[in-house]
Amino acid sequence: MDFGFIFSSAAGELFSPTTAAYALAALGLAVHFGYSGLLNFGQAGFMAVGAYGFAISTLSFGVPFFIGLLIAIVCSAIFALLLGIPTLRLRADYLAIVTIAAAEIVRYIVTTNQLTSVTGSANGLAAFEGGFYSMNPFPEGSYLGMNNRDFFIRVVGWGLVIVCCTLVWLLMRSPWGRVLKGIREDENAVRSLGKNVYAYKMQALVIGGVLGALAGMIFTLPRGAVQPANYGTELTFFLYTCLLLGGLGTVLGPVVGAMIFWVVLSLTQGILYGLIESGAVTWLNTVQAGQLRYILVGVALMLLMIFRPQGVFGNKKELAFA
């Protein structure tokens, strides 16, 4: 078993575009749940809206990259409004029900055969990333062992993570952010001070949704294709895993949590596959090993919740509302 290859592959996941996408989406969940107390179980839906909004506008209307980016952001904001208007005046569990259902509705809509010409149905859409890579300032060559395209998407993805983390950090240190934290702890107390709790919740839902839409774009650009199967309910649960690993009411927590999540997944997969190929494990095949790694991550998450429920960067005060 080649441990050098296994560990190098796991280390490569630290700064992969997928990890950056998960970090952005988990940061959106931190705005929703960690700072505002909004129980959003449909972040995968926001990612799908962002990815399909960009891909459809690029392929169907031929818009430039930045116009497609703007369309994806506007679509995610409209999606947040549609979810928030009927639910944010009700208890948090209603939002959870609506968001998980809405994410599935989005996924089923884009797989509808009648919309194949627009959404590609179950096959998805491809070849929409040309406008993005045409802006690549790096000439062909090797950059830290990567080609110029892989290096460019990593620079953009992690640059976006840094910018969004900075913006969220500034927002949460502002009076607006302090009101959000107050709503998370006791929204009736905040309402008694004359604050429009509904408006603050809506703003938080939109901001976290926009972060999810950006994550959806970063998630799909390296693949050059967007497919509905990638935006199932389990994606949202993976994002919550990242959030819990790092810490709920933190800015860096979702980023570090996403890194830990993908490194652990890569390590467990590499070790299990290595044991199977070497013949040390004969009762398991590679398909079963792919499922077993998620079981191991789940066990690790349970242990984390028992011994350090506040996550890596969190503190126990942040758990008071949960």
Side-chain angles (χ1 to χ4, degrees), residues 261-321:
F261 178 78
W262 277 103
V263 167
V264 171
L265 274 186
S266 179
L267 273 177
T268 53
Q269 176 175 291
I271 292 173
L272 288 172
Y273 283 11
L275 290 173
I276 293 170
E277 291 172 1
S278 65
V281 173
T282 57
W283 49 270
L284 199 66
N285 58 44
T286 55
V287 175
Q288 294 169 328
Q291 301 302 318
L292 180 59
R293 64 174 181 158
Y294 289 113
I295 296 175
L296 295 175
V297 171
V299 171
L301 181 62
M302 288 192 295
L303 294 174
L304 178 72
M305 290 294 96
I306 294 171
F307 296 105
R308 190 173 175 81
Q310 67 270 33
V312 175
F313 286 102
N315 57 70
K316 291 185 177 180
K317 291 181 180 179
E318 302 290 349
L319 298 176
F321 74 96

Short mmCIF file of all heavy atoms in Angstrom, two decimals, residues 261-321:
data_model
loop_
_atom_site.label_atom_id
_atom_site.label_comp_id
_atom_site.label_asym_id
_atom_site.label_seq_id
_atom_site.Cartn_x
_atom_site.Cartn_y
_atom_site.Cartn_z
N PHE A 261 -13.20 17.69 6.42
CA PHE A 261 -14.15 16.74 5.84
C PHE A 261 -13.55 16.05 4.62
O PHE A 261 -13.58 14.81 4.51
CB PHE A 261 -15.43 17.48 5.46
CG PHE A 261 -16.48 16.62 4.81
CD1 PHE A 261 -17.27 15.78 5.57
CD2 PHE A 261 -16.67 16.66 3.43
CE1 PHE A 261 -18.24 14.97 4.96
CE2 PHE A 261 -17.63 15.87 2.82
CZ PHE A 261 -18.42 15.02 3.59
N TRP A 262 -12.99 16.83 3.69
CA TRP A 262 -12.49 16.23 2.45
C TRP A 262 -11.18 15.50 2.65
O TRP A 262 -10.91 14.49 1.97
CB TRP A 262 -12.37 17.30 1.37
CG TRP A 262 -13.68 17.52 0.70
CD1 TRP A 262 -14.55 18.55 0.89
CD2 TRP A 262 -14.32 16.62 -0.22
NE1 TRP A 262 -15.68 18.37 0.13
CE2 TRP A 262 -15.57 17.20 -0.55
CE3 TRP A 262 -13.96 15.41 -0.79
CZ2 TRP A 262 -16.45 16.57 -1.43
CZ3 TRP A 262 -14.84 14.80 -1.67
CH2 TRP A 262 -16.07 15.39 -1.98
N VAL A 263 -10.34 15.96 3.58
CA VAL A 263 -9.10 15.22 3.86
C VAL A 263 -9.43 13.87 4.47
O VAL A 263 -8.86 12.84 4.09
CB VAL A 263 -8.19 16.04 4.80
CG1 VAL A 263 -7.08 15.17 5.36
CG2 VAL A 263 -7.59 17.22 4.05
N VAL A 264 -10.37 13.85 5.43
CA VAL A 264 -10.76 12.58 6.05
C VAL A 264 -11.39 11.64 5.04
O VAL A 264 -11.09 10.43 5.01
CB VAL A 264 -11.72 12.84 7.24
CG1 VAL A 264 -12.30 11.53 7.76
CG2 VAL A 264 -10.99 13.57 8.36
N LEU A 265 -12.26 12.17 4.17
CA LEU A 265 -12.86 11.33 3.12
C LEU A 265 -11.79 10.73 2.22
O LEU A 265 -11.83 9.55 1.87
CB LEU A 265 -13.84 12.15 2.29
CG LEU A 265 -15.28 12.26 2.79
CD1 LEU A 265 -16.12 12.99 1.75
CD2 LEU A 265 -15.89 10.91 3.08
N SER A 266 -10.83 11.56 1.80
CA SER A 266 -9.78 11.08 0.91
C SER A 266 -8.90 10.05 1.60
O SER A 266 -8.53 9.03 0.99
CB SER A 266 -8.94 12.27 0.42
OG SER A 266 -7.89 11.84 -0.42
N LEU A 267 -8.56 10.30 2.87
CA LEU A 267 -7.72 9.36 3.61
C LEU A 267 -8.40 8.01 3.77
O LEU A 267 -7.80 6.96 3.52
CB LEU A 267 -7.37 9.94 4.99
CG LEU A 267 -6.14 10.84 5.08
CD1 LEU A 267 -5.99 11.37 6.50
CD2 LEU A 267 -4.88 10.10 4.67
N THR A 268 -9.66 8.03 4.21
CA THR A 268 -10.37 6.77 4.43
C THR A 268 -10.54 6.01 3.12
O THR A 268 -10.39 4.79 3.09
CB THR A 268 -11.74 7.03 5.08
OG1 THR A 268 -12.47 8.00 4.31
CG2 THR A 268 -11.60 7.52 6.50
N GLN A 269 -10.83 6.72 2.05
CA GLN A 269 -10.98 6.04 0.76
C GLN A 269 -9.65 5.45 0.31
O GLN A 269 -9.60 4.29 -0.14
CB GLN A 269 -11.49 7.01 -0.30
CG GLN A 269 -11.58 6.39 -1.69
CD GLN A 269 -12.19 7.32 -2.71
OE1 GLN A 269 -13.37 7.62 -2.66
NE2 GLN A 269 -11.36 7.80 -3.64
N GLY A 270 -8.58 6.22 0.42
CA GLY A 270 -7.27 5.73 -0.01
C GLY A 270 -6.82 4.52 0.79
O GLY A 270 -6.29 3.54 0.22
N ILE A 271 -7.03 4.56 2.10
CA ILE A 271 -6.62 3.43 2.95
C ILE A 271 -7.46 2.20 2.66
O ILE A 271 -6.94 1.08 2.53
CB ILE A 271 -6.71 3.83 4.44
CG1 ILE A 271 -5.65 4.90 4.76
CG2 ILE A 271 -6.52 2.61 5.33
CD1 ILE A 271 -5.76 5.47 6.15
N LEU A 272 -8.77 2.37 2.53
CA LEU A 272 -9.64 1.23 2.26
C LEU A 272 -9.32 0.62 0.90
O LEU A 272 -9.23 -0.61 0.76
CB LEU A 272 -11.10 1.67 2.31
CG LEU A 272 -11.67 1.97 3.70
CD1 LEU A 272 -13.06 2.57 3.60
CD2 LEU A 272 -11.71 0.70 4.55
N TYR A 273 -9.16 1.47 -0.12
CA TYR A 273 -8.82 0.94 -1.46
C TYR A 273 -7.46 0.24 -1.44
O TYR A 273 -7.28 -0.78 -2.11
CB TYR A 273 -8.81 2.08 -2.48
CG TYR A 273 -10.18 2.53 -2.92
CD1 TYR A 273 -11.33 2.11 -2.27
CD2 TYR A 273 -10.34 3.41 -3.99
CE1 TYR A 273 -12.58 2.53 -2.67
CE2 TYR A 273 -11.60 3.84 -4.40
CZ TYR A 273 -12.72 3.39 -3.73
OH TYR A 273 -13.96 3.81 -4.12
N GLY A 274 -6.52 0.81 -0.70
CA GLY A 274 -5.20 0.19 -0.60
C GLY A 274 -5.26 -1.18 0.06
O GLY A 274 -4.59 -2.13 -0.37
N LEU A 275 -6.07 -1.30 1.12
CA LEU A 275 -6.22 -2.59 1.80
C LEU A 275 -6.86 -3.62 0.87
O LEU A 275 -6.49 -4.80 0.90
CB LEU A 275 -7.06 -2.40 3.07
CG LEU A 275 -6.41 -1.63 4.21
CD1 LEU A 275 -7.43 -1.38 5.33
CD2 LEU A 275 -5.20 -2.38 4.77
N ILE A 276 -7.83 -3.18 0.07
CA ILE A 276 -8.50 -4.09 -0.86
C ILE A 276 -7.54 -4.55 -1.96
O ILE A 276 -7.44 -5.74 -2.27
CB ILE A 276 -9.74 -3.42 -1.47
CG1 ILE A 276 -10.81 -3.18 -0.40
CG2 ILE A 276 -10.32 -4.26 -2.60
CD1 ILE A 276 -11.96 -2.32 -0.86
N GLU A 277 -6.78 -3.60 -2.53
CA GLU A 277 -5.87 -3.94 -3.62
C GLU A 277 -4.72 -4.82 -3.14
O GLU A 277 -4.21 -5.66 -3.90
CB GLU A 277 -5.33 -2.66 -4.25
CG GLU A 277 -6.40 -1.87 -5.01
CD GLU A 277 -5.89 -0.51 -5.46
OE1 GLU A 277 -4.70 -0.20 -5.20
OE2 GLU A 277 -6.67 0.24 -6.08
N SER A 278 -4.28 -4.65 -1.90
CA SER A 278 -3.18 -5.46 -1.38
C SER A 278 -3.63 -6.84 -0.94
O SER A 278 -2.79 -7.69 -0.63
CB SER A 278 -2.53 -4.73 -0.19
OG SER A 278 -3.45 -4.62 0.90
N GLY A 279 -4.94 -7.06 -0.89
CA GLY A 279 -5.46 -8.36 -0.48
C GLY A 279 -5.62 -8.50 1.02
O GLY A 279 -6.02 -9.56 1.51
N ALA A 280 -5.31 -7.45 1.79
CA ALA A 280 -5.45 -7.52 3.24
C ALA A 280 -6.91 -7.59 3.65
O ALA A 280 -7.25 -8.13 4.70
CB ALA A 280 -4.77 -6.30 3.89
N VAL A 281 -7.79 -7.01 2.83
CA VAL A 281 -9.23 -7.06 3.08
C VAL A 281 -9.89 -7.74 1.88
O VAL A 281 -9.81 -7.23 0.76
CB VAL A 281 -9.81 -5.64 3.28
CG1 VAL A 281 -11.33 -5.70 3.38
CG2 VAL A 281 -9.23 -4.99 4.53
N THR A 282 -10.51 -8.89 2.12
CA THR A 282 -11.13 -9.64 1.04
C THR A 282 -12.66 -9.62 1.09
O THR A 282 -13.32 -10.03 0.14
CB THR A 282 -10.67 -11.11 1.07
OG1 THR A 282 -10.99 -11.67 2.36
CG2 THR A 282 -9.16 -11.19 0.86
N TRP A 283 -13.21 -9.17 2.21
CA TRP A 283 -14.66 -9.17 2.39
C TRP A 283 -15.32 -7.87 1.93
O TRP A 283 -16.52 -7.68 2.12
CB TRP A 283 -15.00 -9.41 3.86
CG TRP A 283 -14.24 -8.50 4.81
CD1 TRP A 283 -13.04 -8.77 5.39
CD2 TRP A 283 -14.63 -7.21 5.26
NE1 TRP A 283 -12.64 -7.72 6.19
CE2 TRP A 283 -13.60 -6.74 6.13
CE3 TRP A 283 -15.73 -6.40 5.02
CZ2 TRP A 283 -13.66 -5.50 6.75
CZ3 TRP A 283 -15.78 -5.16 5.64
CH2 TRP A 283 -14.76 -4.72 6.50
N LEU A 284 -14.52 -7.01 1.28
CA LEU A 284 -15.02 -5.69 0.90
C LEU A 284 -14.59 -5.41 -0.53
O LEU A 284 -13.46 -5.72 -0.92
CB LEU A 284 -14.44 -4.63 1.84
CG LEU A 284 -15.13 -3.27 1.94
CD1 LEU A 284 -16.52 -3.42 2.55
CD2 LEU A 284 -14.29 -2.34 2.81
N ASN A 285 -15.49 -4.83 -1.35
CA ASN A 285 -15.10 -4.38 -2.67
C ASN A 285 -15.05 -2.85 -2.71
O ASN A 285 -15.41 -2.19 -1.73
CB ASN A 285 -16.04 -4.93 -3.75
CG ASN A 285 -17.49 -4.53 -3.51
OD1 ASN A 285 -17.78 -3.37 -3.18
ND2 ASN A 285 -18.40 -5.48 -3.70
N THR A 286 -14.61 -2.30 -3.83
CA THR A 286 -14.41 -0.85 -3.89
C THR A 286 -15.72 -0.07 -3.77
O THR A 286 -15.75 1.03 -3.23
CB THR A 286 -13.70 -0.47 -5.21
OG1 THR A 286 -14.45 -0.99 -6.32
CG2 THR A 286 -12.29 -1.02 -5.23
N VAL A 287 -16.82 -0.64 -4.28
CA VAL A 287 -18.12 0.03 -4.17
C VAL A 287 -18.54 0.11 -2.71
O VAL A 287 -18.98 1.16 -2.22
CB VAL A 287 -19.19 -0.70 -5.01
CG1 VAL A 287 -20.56 -0.07 -4.79
CG2 VAL A 287 -18.82 -0.67 -6.48
N GLN A 288 -18.39 -0.99 -1.99
CA GLN A 288 -18.74 -1.00 -0.57
C GLN A 288 -17.81 -0.09 0.23
O GLN A 288 -18.24 0.54 1.20
CB GLN A 288 -18.67 -2.43 -0.03
CG GLN A 288 -19.72 -3.36 -0.63
CD GLN A 288 -19.46 -4.82 -0.30
OE1 GLN A 288 -18.30 -5.23 -0.16
NE2 GLN A 288 -20.52 -5.60 -0.18
N ALA A 289 -16.55 -0.03 -0.18
CA ALA A 289 -15.60 0.84 0.52
C ALA A 289 -16.00 2.30 0.38
O ALA A 289 -15.83 3.09 1.32
CB ALA A 289 -14.19 0.62 -0.03
N GLY A 290 -16.53 2.68 -0.77
CA GLY A 290 -16.98 4.05 -0.96
C GLY A 290 -18.09 4.42 0.00
O GLY A 290 -18.18 5.57 0.45
N GLN A 291 -18.97 3.45 0.33
CA GLN A 291 -20.03 3.69 1.29
C GLN A 291 -19.51 3.64 2.72
O GLN A 291 -19.95 4.40 3.59
CB GLN A 291 -21.15 2.66 1.10
CG GLN A 291 -21.78 2.66 -0.28
CD GLN A 291 -22.37 4.01 -0.66
OE1 GLN A 291 -23.01 4.66 0.16
NE2 GLN A 291 -22.16 4.42 -1.90
N LEU A 292 -18.57 2.75 2.97
CA LEU A 292 -18.04 2.59 4.31
C LEU A 292 -17.34 3.85 4.80
O LEU A 292 -17.38 4.18 5.98
CB LEU A 292 -17.07 1.40 4.35
CG LEU A 292 -16.41 1.10 5.72
CD1 LEU A 292 -17.47 0.81 6.78
CD2 LEU A 292 -15.45 -0.08 5.58
N ARG A 293 -16.70 4.58 3.87
CA ARG A 293 -15.99 5.79 4.30
C ARG A 293 -16.95 6.81 4.86
O ARG A 293 -16.61 7.54 5.80
CB ARG A 293 -15.18 6.38 3.14
CG ARG A 293 -16.00 6.86 1.96
CD ARG A 293 -15.12 7.55 0.95
NE ARG A 293 -15.91 8.05 -0.17
CZ ARG A 293 -15.51 9.02 -0.98
NH1 ARG A 293 -14.34 9.60 -0.78
NH2 ARG A 293 -16.26 9.42 -1.98
N TYR A 294 -18.17 6.89 4.32
CA TYR A 294 -19.15 7.82 4.88
C TYR A 294 -19.62 7.36 6.25
O TYR A 294 -19.90 8.18 7.13
CB TYR A 294 -20.35 7.96 3.93
CG TYR A 294 -20.03 8.72 2.67
CD1 TYR A 294 -20.02 8.11 1.44
CD2 TYR A 294 -19.72 10.09 2.73
CE1 TYR A 294 -19.72 8.81 0.28
CE2 TYR A 294 -19.42 10.80 1.58
CZ TYR A 294 -19.42 10.15 0.36
OH TYR A 294 -19.11 10.85 -0.78
N ILE A 295 -19.69 6.05 6.46
CA ILE A 295 -20.03 5.53 7.79
C ILE A 295 -18.96 5.92 8.79
O ILE A 295 -19.27 6.36 9.92
CB ILE A 295 -20.20 4.00 7.73
CG1 ILE A 295 -21.38 3.63 6.83
CG2 ILE A 295 -20.39 3.42 9.13
CD1 ILE A 295 -21.54 2.13 6.62
N LEU A 296 -17.70 5.79 8.40
CA LEU A 296 -16.60 6.16 9.30
C LEU A 296 -16.62 7.65 9.62
O LEU A 296 -16.38 8.05 10.76
CB LEU A 296 -15.26 5.76 8.66
CG LEU A 296 -15.05 4.26 8.45
CD1 LEU A 296 -13.74 4.01 7.71
CD2 LEU A 296 -15.05 3.53 9.78
N VAL A 297 -16.92 8.47 8.61
CA VAL A 297 -17.02 9.91 8.86
C VAL A 297 -18.18 10.20 9.80
O VAL A 297 -18.08 11.05 10.69
CB VAL A 297 -17.19 10.68 7.53
CG1 VAL A 297 -17.53 12.14 7.79
CG2 VAL A 297 -15.91 10.59 6.70
N GLY A 298 -19.30 9.47 9.64
CA GLY A 298 -20.43 9.65 10.54
C GLY A 298 -20.09 9.30 11.97
O GLY A 298 -20.48 10.00 12.91
N VAL A 299 -19.35 8.20 12.16
CA VAL A 299 -18.92 7.82 13.51
C VAL A 299 -18.01 8.89 14.10
O VAL A 299 -18.14 9.26 15.27
CB VAL A 299 -18.21 6.45 13.47
CG1 VAL A 299 -17.57 6.14 14.82
CG2 VAL A 299 -19.19 5.34 13.08
N ALA A 300 -17.09 9.40 13.28
CA ALA A 300 -16.20 10.46 13.76
C ALA A 300 -16.98 11.70 14.15
O ALA A 300 -16.67 12.37 15.15
CB ALA A 300 -15.17 10.80 12.68
N LEU A 301 -18.04 12.02 13.39
CA LEU A 301 -18.86 13.19 13.71
C LEU A 301 -19.60 12.98 15.03
O LEU A 301 -19.71 13.91 15.83
CB LEU A 301 -19.85 13.45 12.58
CG LEU A 301 -20.76 14.67 12.76
CD1 LEU A 301 -19.95 15.94 12.86
CD2 LEU A 301 -21.76 14.77 11.62
N MET A 302 -20.10 11.76 15.26
CA MET A 302 -20.77 11.49 16.53
C MET A 302 -19.81 11.65 17.70
O MET A 302 -20.18 12.20 18.75
CB MET A 302 -21.36 10.07 16.50
CG MET A 302 -22.57 9.92 15.61
SD MET A 302 -23.45 8.37 15.86
CE MET A 302 -22.21 7.20 15.33
N LEU A 303 -18.58 11.15 17.54
CA LEU A 303 -17.59 11.31 18.61
C LEU A 303 -17.28 12.78 18.85
O LEU A 303 -17.10 13.22 19.99
CB LEU A 303 -16.31 10.55 18.24
CG LEU A 303 -16.44 9.03 18.18
CD1 LEU A 303 -15.14 8.41 17.66
CD2 LEU A 303 -16.80 8.47 19.54
N LEU A 304 -17.23 13.55 17.76
CA LEU A 304 -16.99 14.99 17.89
C LEU A 304 -18.12 15.65 18.67
O LEU A 304 -17.88 16.50 19.54
CB LEU A 304 -16.87 15.63 16.51
CG LEU A 304 -16.66 17.15 16.50
CD1 LEU A 304 -15.26 17.49 16.96
CD2 LEU A 304 -16.90 17.71 15.11
N MET A 305 -19.35 15.27 18.38
CA MET A 305 -20.50 15.86 19.08
C MET A 305 -20.51 15.49 20.56
O MET A 305 -21.02 16.23 21.40
CB MET A 305 -21.80 15.40 18.42
CG MET A 305 -22.06 15.99 17.05
SD MET A 305 -22.32 17.79 17.09
CE MET A 305 -20.67 18.41 16.70
N ILE A 306 -19.92 14.33 20.89
CA ILE A 306 -19.87 13.91 22.29
C ILE A 306 -18.78 14.65 23.05
O ILE A 306 -19.00 15.16 24.15
CB ILE A 306 -19.66 12.39 22.38
CG1 ILE A 306 -20.88 11.65 21.82
CG2 ILE A 306 -19.40 11.96 23.82
CD1 ILE A 306 -20.67 10.16 21.67
N PHE A 307 -17.58 14.72 22.44
CA PHE A 307 -16.43 15.23 23.18
C PHE A 307 -16.12 16.71 22.90
O PHE A 307 -15.49 17.37 23.72
CB PHE A 307 -15.20 14.38 22.87
CG PHE A 307 -15.32 12.96 23.34
CD1 PHE A 307 -15.56 11.92 22.44
CD2 PHE A 307 -15.26 12.66 24.68
CE1 PHE A 307 -15.69 10.61 22.87
CE2 PHE A 307 -15.38 11.34 25.13
CZ PHE A 307 -15.61 10.32 24.23
N ARG A 308 -16.52 17.22 21.73
CA ARG A 308 -16.31 18.64 21.45
C ARG A 308 -17.46 19.14 20.57
O ARG A 308 -17.29 19.39 19.37
CB ARG A 308 -14.96 18.89 20.77
CG ARG A 308 -14.62 20.38 20.69
CD ARG A 308 -13.23 20.66 20.18
NE ARG A 308 -13.01 22.08 20.02
CZ ARG A 308 -12.70 22.93 20.98
NH1 ARG A 308 -12.57 22.49 22.22
NH2 ARG A 308 -12.52 24.21 20.73
N PRO A 309 -18.63 19.32 21.15
CA PRO A 309 -19.80 19.71 20.35
C PRO A 309 -19.71 21.09 19.74
O PRO A 309 -20.43 21.39 18.79
CB PRO A 309 -20.95 19.62 21.36
CG PRO A 309 -20.29 19.79 22.70
CD PRO A 309 -18.96 19.13 22.56
N GLN A 310 -18.84 21.95 20.26
CA GLN A 310 -18.74 23.30 19.72
C GLN A 310 -17.87 23.38 18.48
O GLN A 310 -17.75 24.44 17.87
CB GLN A 310 -18.19 24.27 20.79
CG GLN A 310 -16.74 24.02 21.20
CD GLN A 310 -16.62 23.07 22.38
OE1 GLN A 310 -17.42 22.16 22.53
NE2 GLN A 310 -15.63 23.29 23.22
N GLY A 311 -17.25 22.26 18.07
CA GLY A 311 -16.42 22.27 16.88
C GLY A 311 -15.00 22.75 17.17
O GLY A 311 -14.63 23.01 18.31
N VAL A 312 -14.23 22.90 16.09
CA VAL A 312 -12.82 23.26 16.25
C VAL A 312 -12.65 24.68 16.75
O VAL A 312 -11.90 24.96 17.68
CB VAL A 312 -12.07 23.08 14.91
CG1 VAL A 312 -10.63 23.57 15.02
CG2 VAL A 312 -12.11 21.62 14.48
N PHE A 313 -13.38 25.63 16.13
CA PHE A 313 -13.23 27.04 16.48
C PHE A 313 -14.37 27.57 17.35
O PHE A 313 -14.30 28.70 17.82
CB PHE A 313 -13.16 27.89 15.21
CG PHE A 313 -11.85 27.78 14.50
CD1 PHE A 313 -11.72 26.98 13.37
CD2 PHE A 313 -10.73 28.44 14.96
CE1 PHE A 313 -10.52 26.87 12.71
CE2 PHE A 313 -9.51 28.32 14.31
CZ PHE A 313 -9.40 27.53 13.18
N GLY A 314 -15.41 26.79 17.53
CA GLY A 314 -16.57 27.27 18.27
C GLY A 314 -16.32 27.30 19.77
O GLY A 314 -15.31 26.83 20.29
N ASN A 315 -17.28 27.88 20.50
CA ASN A 315 -17.24 27.85 21.94
C ASN A 315 -18.62 27.46 22.45
O ASN A 315 -19.61 27.53 21.74
CB ASN A 315 -16.82 29.21 22.52
CG ASN A 315 -17.72 30.34 22.06
OD1 ASN A 315 -18.88 30.44 22.45
ND2 ASN A 315 -17.19 31.20 21.19
N LYS A 316 -18.69 27.05 23.69
CA LYS A 316 -19.92 26.47 24.22
C LYS A 316 -21.04 27.50 24.30
O LYS A 316 -22.21 27.14 24.32
CB LYS A 316 -19.65 25.87 25.59
CG LYS A 316 -18.76 24.62 25.52
CD LYS A 316 -18.61 23.96 26.86
CE LYS A 316 -17.77 22.68 26.72
NZ LYS A 316 -17.60 22.00 28.02
N LYS A 317 -20.70 28.78 24.34
CA LYS A 317 -21.76 29.80 24.36
C LYS A 317 -22.59 29.78 23.08
O LYS A 317 -23.77 30.10 23.09
CB LYS A 317 -21.13 31.19 24.54
CG LYS A 317 -20.51 31.41 25.91
CD LYS A 317 -19.95 32.82 26.00
CE LYS A 317 -19.31 33.05 27.38
NZ LYS A 317 -18.73 34.41 27.49
N GLU A 318 -21.94 29.39 21.96
CA GLU A 318 -22.64 29.35 20.69
C GLU A 318 -23.66 28.22 20.63
O GLU A 318 -24.49 28.18 19.74
CB GLU A 318 -21.65 29.20 19.52
CG GLU A 318 -20.61 30.29 19.43
CD GLU A 318 -21.19 31.63 19.02
OE1 GLU A 318 -22.36 31.65 18.60
OE2 GLU A 318 -20.48 32.63 19.12
N LEU A 319 -23.58 27.26 21.58
CA LEU A 319 -24.50 26.14 21.58
C LEU A 319 -25.77 26.41 22.36
O LEU A 319 -26.67 25.60 22.39
CB LEU A 319 -23.81 24.90 22.17
CG LEU A 319 -22.58 24.38 21.41
CD1 LEU A 319 -21.98 23.22 22.16
CD2 LEU A 319 -22.97 23.96 20.02
N ALA A 320 -25.83 27.56 23.02
CA ALA A 320 -26.95 27.83 23.90
C ALA A 320 -28.28 27.86 23.16
O ALA A 320 -29.31 27.51 23.69
CB ALA A 320 -26.72 29.16 24.63
N PHE A 321 -28.23 28.30 21.88
CA PHE A 321 -29.47 28.44 21.12
C PHE A 321 -29.90 27.15 20.46
O PHE A 321 -31.03 27.01 20.03
CB PHE A 321 -29.32 29.53 20.04
CG PHE A 321 -28.48 29.10 18.89
CD1 PHE A 321 -29.06 28.61 17.75
CD2 PHE A 321 -27.10 29.15 18.96
CE1 PHE A 321 -28.28 28.22 16.68
CE2 PHE A 321 -26.33 28.75 17.90
CZ PHE A 321 -26.92 28.30 16.75
#
